[in-house]
């Protein structure tokens, strides 16, 4: 019905999720989120790759983790939880993520958990968990609310997996932690 809308030029629709995915420039790929929670007992490190939706989802994940007592860090070796939020829409994303996961494995703090988030996680869950054994958790874009449970299970030695797609999940009640500090979250 609105396929010829000129405002949607260059915006791709992910047919699995129904979300619009706008590729970001290469300079933002691998961007690391940092926020401060002075009461935090644990730290998480998150890198985002792929489309604009993934960067937004990383902000939602940060909010969820903050409410669980986590603070972010830009120093991976300090973190208790290492996350990569990925998208299959970018050609280089899968290659970059695999490279990063290998680096995480070598350099992570002892006892740190590693998780892959996003639509690539859905597609490659078996490879990441069983074949390559690079991660402790695989979380699809509609399962971020389940992260505290998956983390808890992974801390007990379980492999955390939730990649179920939901037609109802919007995260509308979660205030995202903004990546950018200039206060601008959209342009009109």
């Amino acid at each position: 019905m609105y396929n010829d809308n000129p405002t949607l030029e260059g915006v791709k629709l992910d047919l699995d999720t129904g979300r619009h995915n706008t590729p970001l420039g290469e300079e933002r790929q691998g961007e690391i989120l940092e926020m401060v929670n002075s009461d935090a007992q644990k730290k998480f490190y998150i890198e985002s790759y792929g489309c604009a939706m993934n960067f937004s989802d990383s902000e939602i994940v940060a909010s969820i983790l903050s409410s669980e007592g986590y603070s972010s860090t830009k120093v991976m070796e300090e973190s208790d939880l290492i996350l990569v939020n990925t998208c299959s829409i970018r050609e280089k994303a899968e290659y970059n993520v695999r490279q990063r996961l290998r680096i995480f494995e070598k350099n992570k703090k002892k006892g740190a958990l590693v998780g892959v988030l996003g639509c690539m996680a859905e597609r490659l869950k078996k490879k990441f968990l069983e074949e390559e054994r690079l991660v402790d958790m695989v979380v699809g874009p509609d399962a971020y609310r389940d992260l505290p449970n998956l983390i808890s299970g992974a801390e007990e030695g379980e492999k955390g997996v939730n990649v179920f797609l939901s037609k109802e999940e919007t995260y509308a009640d979660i205030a995202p932690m903004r990546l950018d500090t200039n206060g601008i979250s959209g342009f009109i």
Side-chain angles (χ1 to χ4, degrees):
M1 179 167 156
Y2 297 105
N3 291 340
D4 60 347
N5 185 337
T7 62
L8 295 178
E9 284 180 23
V11 176
K12 297 178 182 173
L13 180 64
D14 185 321
L15 298 178
D16 292 331
T17 65
R19 296 176 177 177
H20 288 285
N21 294 318
T22 306
L24 293 177
E26 288 299 317
E27 71 280 355
R28 293 225 31 215
Q29 300 303 309
E31 189 168 277
I32 302 164
L33 175 111
E34 184 174 37
M35 60 177 206
V36 178
N37 178 352
S38 59
D39 298 329
Q41 299 294 316
K42 292 186 175 185
K43 293 182 179 181
F44 74 92
Y45 172 92
I46 187 168
E47 289 182 6
S48 301
Y49 293 90
C51 65
M53 195 70 204
N54 281 51
F55 288 81
S56 175
D57 283 355
S58 289
E59 294 172 338
I60 290 169
V61 167
S63 182
I64 291 168
L65 292 174
S66 178
S67 69
E68 293 293 317
Y70 279 84
S71 177
S72 73
T73 179
K74 286 192 172 189
V75 181
M76 186 246 325
E77 294 84 1
E78 293 178 357
S79 65
D80 301 288
L81 177 62
I82 301 168
L83 300 171
V84 182
N85 195 351
T86 68
C87 180
S88 295
I89 199 169
R90 303 283 299 198
E91 289 181 27
K92 285 179 52 178
E94 185 173 329
Y95 174 79
N96 289 339
V97 167
R98 280 202 154 83
Q99 295 291 90
R100 294 302 293 160
L101 289 173
R102 286 182 181 87
I103 290 169
F104 295 161
E105 190 63 36
K106 292 177 186 174
N107 299 310
K108 73 179 184 178
K109 174 179 161 182
K110 186 173 174 96
L113 300 174
V114 177
V116 176
L117 313 174
C119 55
M120 186 186 296
E122 291 175 82
R123 195 170 57 80
L124 298 174
K125 65 183 177 279
K126 184 175 180 179
K127 281 188 177 197
F128 285 149
L129 286 169
E130 297 171 15
E131 294 173 20
E132 297 174 10
R133 298 182 183 181
L134 295 171
V135 300
D136 302 294
M137 294 176 295
V138 175
V139 185
D142 293 338
Y144 299 144
R145 288 183 198 272
D146 198 28
L147 261 172
N149 296 327
L150 295 171
I151 292 168
S152 179
E155 288 173 338
E156 300 296 321
E158 300 172 17
K159 294 292 183 184
V161 181
N162 187 340
V163 293
F164 295 112
L165 293 176
S166 167
K167 292 183 180 188
E168 292 85 34
E169 182 59 80
T170 64
Y171 302 110
D173 60 324
I174 296 176
M177 300 286 189
R178 292 291 172 209
L179 283 167
D180 296 323
T181 57
N182 66 4
I184 299 171
S185 60
F187 295 93
I188 298 176

